[in-house]
Amino acid sequence: GAGVSQSPRYKVAKRGQDVALRCDPISGHVSLFWYQQALGQGPEFLTYFQNEAQLDKSGLPSDRFFAERPEGSVSTLKIQRTQQEDSAVYLCASSLVGPLETQYFGPGTRLLVL
Amino acid sequence: QKEVEQNSGPLSVPEGAIASLNCTYSDRGSQSFFWYRQYSGKSPELIMFIYSNGDKEDGRFTAQLNKASQYVSLLIRDSQPSDSATYLCAVIPSGGGGNKLTFGTGTQLKVEL
């Protein structure tokens, strides 16, 4: 596709619900990243995939957060038992080869946990 | 100390003026530096990247890197109202952090008519 796409664009969840956020990277991009952006802050790294391998998950805030990219293209970020502090914009980015290359961001999913 | 620091602003400049946005970083071994622009409610979009000390120009934008001072800046010449946005400085740190962009909190720029 022309760019990184994410769905849904907006998600409202009740505290305790599970949510799944989808990312479609740019076609052919090997690397995929998830970031979390709280209001008024810069994006913060969550996790990184190279093809289907999750090479870095050091930014995932708790074991309630889980990401996968089983076929090396589409990725899903799952948040279990959502908490109010999970409310943020979740950004997906992809790059052609490795992490040192330019990362292109999707439009984000705005998650609100009530 | 934050890994990447920026003044949150807002920085207000008149139309046609030069806007100067500054960023400092703590990891001396960092190799790659990026400036992203983010309009309210939108995702970050890449403006420029710079790897080497000195200046890099692209149209109205100039990135400046000084690794000795751990300082990177973005100059916007002939500022336009459409340049009003938050500018995010991002760094790829050395060593084990090389998989991720580390962002500052961003500087809000307002270009006034």
Side-chain angles (χ1 to χ4, degrees), chain A residues 46-59:
Chain A
L46 294 177
T47 187
Y48 157 61
F49 291 86
Q50 190 170 89
N51 294 308
E52 69 277 5
Q54 188 175 22
L55 299 186
D56 188 342
K57 54 181 181 179
S58 62

Side-chain angles (χ1 to χ4, degrees), chain A residues 33 35 37 45 99 102-103 106, chain B residues 36 38 43 46 92 99 101:
Chain A
F33 306 80
Y35 293 85
Q37 187 172 24
F45 171 81
T102 300
Q103 296 181 26
Chain B
Y36 282 84
Q38 187 172 30
S43 61
L46 182 70
I92 293 183
N99 295 333
L101 286 170

Side-chain angles (χ1 to χ4, degrees), chain B residues 5-102:
Chain B
E5 296 211 41
Q6 297 180 256
N7 188 322
S8 61
L11 171 67
S12 293
V13 299
E15 185 178 6
I18 296 175
S20 177
L21 303 160
N22 304 315
C23 172
T24 58
Y25 59 94
S26 61
D27 182 350
R28 183 169 289 277
S30 298
Q31 296 296 318
S32 306
F33 307 86
F34 303 81
W35 282 100
Y36 282 84
R37 178 176 63 198
Q38 187 172 30
Y39 292 111
S40 181
K42 302 296 186 182
S43 61
E45 57 175 322
L46 182 70
I47 297 296
M48 291 193 71
F49 61 87
I50 186 167
Y51 302 143
S52 303
N53 273 330
D55 295 359
K56 179 181 179 182
E57 186 174 320
D58 183 1
R60 296 187 297 113
F61 299 95
T62 298
Q64 299 175 317
L65 175 61
N66 184 326
K67 289 186 177 181
S69 300
Q70 295 174 239
Y71 176 93
V72 58
S73 66
L74 179 70
L75 301 177
I76 307 174
R77 288 181 298 282
D78 188 24
S79 295
Q80 302 297 308
S82 58
D83 294 327
S84 298
T86 295
Y87 289 80
L88 296 163
C89 173
V91 172
I92 293 183
S94 60
N99 295 333
K100 62 187 181 183
L101 286 170
T102 300

Side-chain angles (χ1 to χ4, degrees), chain A residues 11 13-20 78-82:
Chain A
K11 177 70 179 177
K14 292 183 179 178
R15 190 170 53 185
Q17 279 186 329
D18 297 349
V19 298
K78 297 178 179 178
I79 309 173
Q80 297 176 323
R81 304 181 303 282
T82 51

Side-chain angles (χ1 to χ4, degrees), chain A residues 20-23 32 34 47 49 51-54 60 65-78:
Chain A
L21 313 180
R22 177 187 168 105
C23 173
L32 185 145
W34 284 98
T47 187
F49 291 86
N51 294 308
E52 69 277 5
Q54 188 175 22
L60 295 176
F65 287 71
F66 171 77
E68 60 183 2
R69 194 186 184 198
E71 296 179 359
S73 57
V74 171
S75 177
T76 304
L77 176 67
K78 297 178 179 178

